[in-house]
Every structure is written in C-alpha cells, then in structure tokens.
Amino acid sequence: SSCAAMSFVARLGRVLESPAFRHHGCCGCCRVDGACGVAYAATACLTPLVASMSLGFTSPALDTMKGRTQGASAVPAELVVFGRGGGADDEAASLFSSLVNVGALVGALSGGWLCKQAGRCNSLRLAAVLIGACWWWVALATSALDLCLARVFMGLGVGLQSVATPTFIAEVSPPALRGTLGTMNAGAILMGVMVVDFLGGSILRAGAEGEFCAWRKLACFVAVCAVVLLGATTVLPEPSRARRILGERSPETVAVEATVQDDGVRAVPGMAWTVLAGLVPMVWQQLSGVNAVIFFGQSILQAGGVGGANLLGVGVIAVQLAGIVLAASIIEVLGRRPLLLGSCMGMAVGAGSLAFFLWLPRPPAVGVVGALCVYVLAFSLGLGPVPWLLLPELDLPKKVRVTLASIATAANWACSFAVTGPPLVCLQSVCGLPGVFAVFSGICALGTVLIALLVPETKERRRRQGLERRFTFNLSPRGSLRGALSVS
C-alpha cells in the first residue's frame, strides 16, 4: 500500500505539471505551482508525523518499561528495562524521556547548515534514516544505556527535520496558502502523537487483560513508518532557486537582501527586534509546558484520579488536533498575531484551572479533563502552528533567516528538555503537580505580554513596515543597535 501511495503522488505531480494543467493569469503565476506545492507540502508533512511519534512514545510505554502496573499481574520481564535498579533506574527512565530533546537540539543547530549544503530534501531523507534506524535500536535494546543512546541519536533526526520541514513547506507553498499549509506541520506532529498514543494505549498491549504496553512492537511499527517515509521523500523535488526567489519577494525583501554580501551580513534597521520577534514565540511554545502533557499525559490524568486514562489521553490529543484544523481555517483571516495572543491567554487560564483542580483533595474528573482540553486547544490555535510560520515570513536577510531558524529551533528543543526532563522533576518535587501547572500558567501570562510587545502581524507580508511602525532604531557609529519602543 505504501508503494502504491508513493506511485500515486509521483503520478499526481507529473499530471499537474503537464501542459493541460497550466494556466497563466494576469499575475504571471501558473496553476501548476500551487497544485504541486500543496501536494509536495502534504508529502513533506509525513516527516514530522513520524518524528513526533518519538515524543508520544513515552506516554503509553514508560510505566511498563519501569515495571509499574495498576493491576495484580507482574509486568513481563522482557518489557521491563528501568525497574531493576530502584532509584537509579527511575533517573534513567526520566533521561530516556527527555534525551530526545538533547539530540534534537544538536540536530536543529546543524540543520540550517545541512539544509544549505545538502538541500532540504536530502536533509529530510537523512532524518528519516536516523529516526528509522534508532527505532529498530529501541525495539531490540535490552539495557537502559542502549535505550538512552538510541533516544539521543533519534533526536538528531527529529531536530534536523524540525528545521528542514517548515523551510521546505514555506518554499513550495503558494503565498496565499502559506499560513494554511504551514499549520499542516503542527497538525502532523499531533497526528503522530495521537497515533502512537492510541496504538500503545489500546491496541499493542500485553498481559492477560492487556494491562501492559507492548512497547517493542510499538517501536517496530514506528520503524516501519520511517521506512515508508524514506520512500515518500524520494518524490519530493528540491525547491529551485527560481521558485524561492521569483514571485516570492516583496520590494522590501529585495532591499534587505541587497545588504547581504558573500562575506557576511550587514546590520539593517530593526534586525535585532525582528530576530526577537521570531525567537520569543519559538521559546514560549515549549516554556508553556505543552510537551509535559504530550510526554506524560496519561500520568497526569491518573494523578487527577481520572479513570480510563489511556483513551482519555488520546481524546485530549484529538481535541488538540481539532484546534489545528480550526487554526488552518482562520489563520489567513485573523492573522498570526491575534492567534498567538489568544493562545497564550487561553493557555494561562487552562493551566491555572488545572492547577486549582489538582490542588483539591479530590480532584473532579470532569474539571481536570476540561481544563486540560482548554489548555491544549488554546495551544493548538496559536502557539502550536504559528511560531513555525513566523520564521520564514519575517523580513530578514537570507543568511540571517536560515541561522535564526536553527538557533530558534534549538532553543525550542532546549526548553522542551526543561519541561520534560530533570528540571521538571525538580520543580514537581518542590511544588507538586498543581504547582507545576501554576508555574506554566504564569509563564503563559508573561508570554502574552512579550508577544504583544514584540511580534508584528505578517499575514499580508508587510513585515518590515509592521516592525518599523512599532519600533524606532538608530545605528550608532560604533555599530551598536539602540532601540526605542513606540506605541502603535
């Protein structure tokens, strides 16, 4: 079936490129560009779909890997890796969950350079190879060390694709559909999390009553998906230089790119604030704490006394996916900035409500699930998809834009490690689970203020004007950049 699907995509691309489908309008654009752009963007989204399974894997599998069960039966010995050495293995289990972020940080830092040297498509193929090989490693691993090493190398592929995929989608998407197609990246991430959560929590189970996750089979499933992904990327063309330049640049972009020389990039007015406008949403995407829900969603529901945590965890992710679909339909109408602001405010309310319900002696199941749904729905409407769209749309010189994409994505993964690894464990040991979400609520509220001050609207691609209306800058003789904030 995978071969048939790849063959269909290839035939579709050839048909859309045939003269019969070409139509030149008054703007000089042709229909083939838009049609093929949509098809290629959809195919590229298979990469984050498979990569995100690395994030959702621990939610259904980690308790079984630690030898913990809510029933009377003991976990089969071949499924227990972290439950043999007491506290040391508990620390190893925490590292197994979070080390994918460390690998992703390194992969993201090198992703910009690799995309420029080897191309976007080759970067996606390398990511598929790394992810697939490491999932076979996980399926066969028998020690905590093997599993942790596999997660680090798996993270390299995850981080690499997190730079290459949004860049590829932005370059092949028609300008009028860039926002809508850009949300497909976030949608694919959630789809991958939901698939692995559902399979690991309800289908691939072990034990007499299915009380354990058959995580080795789940790892094999993801490895097969990576093989299919590698085959699908063979039909993707490398975005041509003409496609990235002709018809895609505003006059302001031409003026800015004129400052780019082979030996470096000259400072342009407003560049520092423009960089912050792209960096802050990427950092707050993870500081908001959403990956803690993705990694440990079922454990959070169990801590709240919610029965049927496996299926409810999948339901929470489904709500988040529905939010992505809604965001795709309104992002070109409302714009990027309003969605970001509404998202941060909604997440602050959701996280604060969840902290309150978990603080009660008997947390109400309806309240816990409802607050969690508000939290993830607000995320999926703004902070989920929009930060990935801002980076290509901010009016920066090309070299700066590619470098910023790598730095911002690496910062994103570093913050993901903070909210899923040892820092989260320390915070929870001091404040408890209610305190953790109270902190997340405060961080989201602070993010609302920073985004209101820093981030312009880029929907109409009036990026430079939008920044200059809000900030005034002077370049001193020594080259230091001084900015004064003005109220728009």
Side-chain angles (χ1 to χ4, degrees), residues 201-245:
S202 302
I203 304 299
L204 298 177
R205 306 294 291 178
E209 299 179 358
E211 60 268 40
F212 315 120
C213 176
W215 57 267
R216 294 189 187 276
K217 293 180 180 178
L218 185 60
C220 290
F221 168 80
V222 184
V224 171
C225 290
V227 174
V228 175
L229 165 64
L230 181 60
T233 57
T234 60
V235 306
L236 295 178
E238 187 66 33
S240 64
R241 188 171 185 272
R243 175 61 177 147
R244 294 197 298 268
I245 297 178

Side-chain angles (χ1 to χ4, degrees), residues 98-186:
S98 57
L99 280 177
V100 67
N101 299 298
V102 176
L105 189 156
V106 178
L109 284 176
S110 60
W113 176 83
L114 191 60
C115 283
K116 289 188 291 185
Q117 299 299 319
R120 280 65 165 157
C121 293
N122 286 332
S123 298
L124 292 176
R125 291 165 192 142
L126 177 59
V129 171
L130 282 171
I131 293 171
C134 289
W135 273 114
W136 288 118
W137 189 357
V138 168
L140 300 174
T142 57
S143 69
L145 178 61
D146 279 343
L147 287 171
C148 290
L149 288 175
R151 288 285 279 185
V152 172
F153 286 101
M154 186 187 301
L156 294 176
V158 173
L160 174 58
Q161 71 80 32
S162 67
V163 175
T165 302
T167 303
F168 179 87
I169 292 175
E171 290 176 348
V172 301
S173 298
L177 295 177
R178 184 174 289 115
T180 300
L181 293 179
T183 61
M184 292 170 58
N185 180 56

Side-chain angles (χ1 to χ4, degrees), residues 55 91 93-105 151-152 283 286-287 289 291-292 295-296 409-426 440:
L55 308 181
E91 293 180 4
S94 176
L95 286 174
F96 174 76
S97 299
S98 57
L99 280 177
V100 67
N101 299 298
V102 176
L105 189 156
R151 288 285 279 185
V152 172
V283 169
Q286 294 300 338
L287 285 184
N291 263 8
F295 278 55
F296 312 113
T409 307
N412 182 279
W413 286 110
C415 293
S416 178
F417 177 80
V419 301
T420 59
L424 177 68
V425 175
C426 293
F440 288 156

